[in-house]
Amino acid sequence: MPVEKRKPLISGNWKMHHNHFEAIQCVQKLSYMVSKEDFESVDVSIHPPFTDIRSVQTVIESDDMRFILGAQNCHFEEMGAFTGEVSPAFLAKLSVGYVIVGHSERRELFGETDEVVAKKISAVFTAGMTPIVCVGETLEEREQGCTEDKVLSQVRAAVAKRSPEQVGSMVIAYEPIWAIGTGKTATAGDAQSVCSAIRREVIVSSGNDVGDKVRIQYGGSVKAGNAAEIMAQPDIDGALVGGASLDPEEFSRIIQYRLHN
Ligand code: 13P
């Protein structure tokens, strides 16, 4: 079905780990381990905490690294009286390319609804960046057989009323909540089946070409040891990696998954 191969995107979500000194070291170490050829085959984004972003930007730019700077969240307004929040426009000014939106930790711990997530997606696009929109089911929902209902309703809310250009350029990350930080991964077959349902949903809402273009990541206990099998699935175009992205050696082996088949 694919018209042209979607370039995989491997993203490292550091969550609330690494201060700005540790962040600089981590990115420098990683850059020694990743080659020019790796970047020909995959895009790599790094999502440090907000307080590290300026430092990481400086390292990336001064050493001409090909990592794409990412953020983990943003507010949906451009400016205003929102104490403690971060404007998407400020992130764009720091050369941030990708912003994670609606991570399950934000949805569960900070009450982000589909409506808030949709506003954030719009704000990220308006600021000229690309959202990585997270969707996923809880263990309870999975056990009740509601995985697709939950995930596809989140996808519908994320793509509703958007132009085909926007939908085609966004990244959707399927992250089953029970697999995050637990060491449990969905089997590659299960992950493929949900990712393929996500693509079908995008085709229904936005057409074949858009469905073909949209990049879908899997996230949830991705490690060097399981990355190749996950990435081999036809509807999985990348990985959103948490814990394993904190260790440059492990993360570099995930980025080089194609060498470890
Ligand atoms: P882990 O890779 O630590 O399971 O985290 C996944 C995740 O939430 C990435 O956003």
Side-chain angles (χ1 to χ4, degrees), residues 13 15 103 175 179-181 220-222 240-243:
N13 173 12
K15 308 191 180 186
H103 191 280
E175 295 207 307
I180 296 177
S221 298
V222 175
L240 181 53
V241 185

Side-chain angles (χ1 to χ4, degrees), residues 147-201:
T147 299
E148 284 198 12
D149 281 356
K150 168 72 177 293
V151 169
L152 299 187
S153 76
Q154 290 177 324
V155 171
R156 273 193 292 278
V159 303
K161 300 191 206 132
R162 289 192 195 285
S163 66
E165 289 71 31
Q166 279 197 354
V167 178
S169 68
M170 69 167 60
V171 180
I172 299 176
Y174 168 53
E175 295 207 307
I177 296 169
W178 50 270
I180 296 177
T182 57
K184 294 182 192 153
T185 22
T187 62
D190 270 358
Q192 159 58 23
S193 140
V194 179
C195 290
S196 137
I198 292 173
R199 195 175 304 285
R200 281 198 306 274
E201 187 62 44

